[in-house]
Amino acid sequence: MTGIPHTPAPPADTGRDEERLARAGLALVCDGADHLMNAILRSAPATEVWKELHDPTPRTVRHLLAMAGHGLGDDDTIGDTIGGVYDNTVAQNTAARPAPARGGARGAIARSGRLPKGAAAMAQHIRGWQDRAATQPASPLDLAETLTDGGALRILIPGDEHWPVRVEDLGNSDEFPDPLCLWVRGDPAALTACDTPLGIVGSREATGYGTRATREAARAAAERGHVIVSGGAMGIDAVAHAQTVAAGGRTVAVMAGGLDHVGPVCNLELFHSIVDSGGALISEVAPQTVPVAWRFLTRNRLIAALSHTVLVTQARYRSGALNTATHALRLNRIVAAIPGDVDRPSNAGCNELIYRGKAILLPAPESIVDLLPDEHQHGAAPTIAQEGGENALFPDSALDAAGAGGSVAPSGGAHASMAAPARARCPEDGPETFDLDDAIISAIRRLRRTGGSANIASIHQALESGPYPGLAVRRTAIRLGALELAGRLLRNADGTFAVPR
């Protein structure tokens, strides 16, 4: 996309740049994230894999397939089996005779040299990469002009200073693997400037109600220094980005296509303002990749992964925003939603999330800050929580530390520490002193015994209507996170909690 400013690239590190360009080239031939390629890259650097793909001999497919098996290891049945091929291949390349064959399935395949069942489809997948790689230069460094859009884009790979480690929570699943690399137009530091970004998503056909709610939520979070993540689309996405820029904050737009194909056209000025204000446009696919419909659903997982909390401000029953919320729940992110009139289809998706117990009901848009930690300055890298690290789900704050038993960050710190999992005493709500952690566990047992859904919303409701009237939702979320870390609670894939036996 011409005309959008970009930050000059830092001085080159040729070895690192070659690895970076090789990874980007692999993302190009894989057409984005790829489970099999991620497995291969566990066993070899991208430069070596790129070289292998340019070798047309039949051994290349077998070698790459064996490397994938070694990378998958015990996580995958095929991987465990064809790992023997890898061991045998390495032995043949480094010695006159192969290493002794192993026992079991891996040993059998190493001795026979035959590929196991299921590997044929993987081999065909690799041949497709070879066909596409054959149209590209053999040296990754020769890809620089194409893959950086003439120097306008940065490429981030794992290990880079501003690589957002949150995306690695996606893991290497078949359907939703973590990205091979990220293309960035703007300031890469926006991806790591906030330890707890807020994702805001919703309908493209936003009503006045949805627009106002989004503005208030984005403004409240941005004014406290939180980076806002969204998808750059019309409607709710555009409002979230624009309000963040207006509040002097940083925002990240996750695009579905290559960064030379950003859209919609009506948002081009908005994209300029995002970059000008220290934010970034990012994508996991190479320049010249067209944002076809299915790519929007794929990119939703990145919005969820990049976020600490995901807020759905307005959505229909069948909305892409609900897809983002589903990814967020799978990643154990906090999900919140703003309710709306029950007779309006534009609010049906949010109401359904709340009804099913998948999202916390926000009584007001600005209440979203109750689910986020203390404010910090824009552009300043937040202090990583001492207890939970940068991936902590529920960082505690100084406001809650005294009551919840958490420790307070040193004076001047951007964030407070993770709540300590100790069984701390809480303020008295009456003549009897209640222990909040025990009350939470009792509420979960009662909900599960009566057939209720033991999610954050229902647990909080049980506490607020019982021994803790007026309890903040954020406080409940913090203690649930601490109890999970301490092993006193289990969080299920659907976001509900259980007490281990």
Side-chain angles (χ1 to χ4, degrees):
M1 182 177 66
T2 58
I4 288 192
H6 60 274
T7 308
D13 176 346
T14 305
R16 183 68 175 169
D17 281 350
E18 187 174 12
E19 178 69 12
R20 186 177 288 109
L21 287 167
R23 264 203 175 244
L26 295 175
L28 173 65
V29 301
C30 293
D31 197 21
D34 190 283
H35 167 68
L36 186 59
M37 182 59 75
N38 279 343
I40 291 173
L41 290 173
R42 292 180 185 176
S43 300
T47 49
E48 180 181 330
V49 178
W50 185 256
K51 182 179 179 180
E52 286 280 348
L53 288 178
H54 282 81
D55 181 353
T57 59
R59 64 164 289 281
T60 297
V61 174
R62 180 175 290 272
H63 189 205
L64 288 175
L65 189 58
M67 290 163 67
H70 188 76
L72 290 168
D74 294 336
D75 296 336
D76 187 279
T77 303
I78 294 177
D80 187 52
T81 306
I82 63 179
V85 176
Y86 176 82
D87 296 335
N88 198 25
T89 302
V90 171
Q92 290 173 340
N93 289 339
T94 58
R97 57 185 177 84
R102 303 183 183 194
R106 294 185 67 166
I109 194 63
R111 289 191 296 272
S112 68
R114 294 192 301 272
L115 293 177
K117 282 185 177 181
M122 298 165 74
Q124 185 62 33
H125 197 51
I126 293 173
R127 292 188 190 100
W129 297 342
Q130 282 185 297
D131 293 341
R132 291 188 287 274
T135 66
Q136 303 298 327
S139 171
L141 294 174
D142 293 335
L143 292 165
E145 182 72 17
T146 301
L147 293 180
T148 65
D149 195 19
L153 307 178
R154 301 279 189 88
I155 299 170
L156 295 180
I157 62 174
D160 283 347
E161 178 184 3
H162 296 300
W163 174 258
V165 294
R166 283 184 166 275
V167 299
E168 296 176 12
D169 289 350
L170 288 164
N172 196 27
S173 66
D174 289 327
E175 287 187 280
F176 311 114
D178 48 341
L180 293 167
C181 65
L182 291 172
W183 278 264
V184 181
R185 188 185 294 273
D187 189 354
L191 294 171
T192 53
C194 175
D195 210 26
T196 50
L198 172 65
I200 299 181
V201 293
S203 174
R204 286 178 171 83
E205 300 86 22
T207 66
Y209 172 78
T211 298
R212 289 191 299 274
T214 303
R215 282 176 180 161
E216 293 173 19
R219 182 191 303 116
E223 287 178 347
R224 287 161 177 79
H226 299 287
V227 170
I228 306 300
V229 182
S230 196
M234 295 184 293
I236 297 299
D237 289 12
V239 173
H241 291 306
Q243 189 58 54
T244 303
V245 172
R250 280 178 151 180
T251 182
V252 173
V254 185
M255 313 308 290
L259 293 184
D260 59 343
H261 276 285
V262 297
V265 174
C266 62
N267 283 352
L268 289 183
E269 285 301 317
L270 173 61
F271 299 146
H272 277 276
S273 67
I274 290 173
V275 173
D276 287 340
S277 62
L281 314 180
I282 71 168
S283 176
E284 65 172 328
V285 294
Q288 302 179 20
T289 302
V290 178
V292 293
W294 63 268
R295 294 191 188 277
F296 288 90
L297 293 176
T298 301
R299 70 89 194 266
N300 287 345
R301 82 192 198 287
L302 293 182
I303 296 175
L306 287 167
S307 303
H308 166 277
T309 299
V310 172
L311 171 62
V312 187
T313 55
Q314 187 175 52
R316 291 178 174 269
Y317 187 72
R318 297 178 62 84
S319 169
L322 304 188
N323 175 256
T324 306
T326 299
H327 285 298
L329 289 168
R330 184 174 62 86
L331 294 170
N332 281 337
R333 304 303 194 243
I334 301 173
V335 177
I338 295 177
D341 292 344
V342 295
D343 59 347
R344 292 181 180 270
S346 56
N347 301 321
C350 287
N351 292 341
E352 180 73 9
L353 283 174
I354 295 166
Y355 172 70
R356 297 293 179 189
K358 296 180 178 180
I360 297 171
L361 184 154
L362 288 190
E366 60 270 19
S367 298
I368 188 62
V369 298
D370 291 336
L371 303 179
L372 298 169
D374 289 343
E375 61 185 274
H376 51 269
Q377 293 181 349
H378 289 294
T383 302
I384 295 174
Q386 296 175 1
E387 296 281 347
E390 62 184 353
N391 288 322
L393 292 179
F394 301 110
D396 204 350
S397 74
L399 293 177
D400 290 313
S407 58
V408 181
S411 177
H415 289 286
S417 299
M418 186 74 176
R423 300 181 57 175
R425 304 301 297 179
C426 298
E428 293 184 357
D429 292 308
E432 182 181 1
T433 299
F434 293 95
D435 182 278
L436 180 55
D437 289 357
D438 285 345
I440 288 174
I441 291 173
S442 297
I444 292 171
R445 283 176 171 152
R446 186 165 55 252
L447 284 166
R448 297 185 70 86
R449 188 168 58 248
T450 58
S453 180
N455 51 57
I456 293 179
S458 57
I459 295 167
H460 178 75
Q461 184 179 8
L463 293 169
E464 197 174 24
S465 61
Y468 288 92
L471 179 69
V473 174
R474 179 182 172 197
R475 180 84 171 280
T476 304
I478 288 170
R479 297 314 305 159
L480 283 168
L483 287 167
E484 183 184 4
L485 288 174
R488 297 182 65 192
L489 289 181
L490 298 175
R491 184 193 294 259
N492 300 316
D494 60 358
T496 61
F497 289 86
V499 180
R501 294 183 178 180

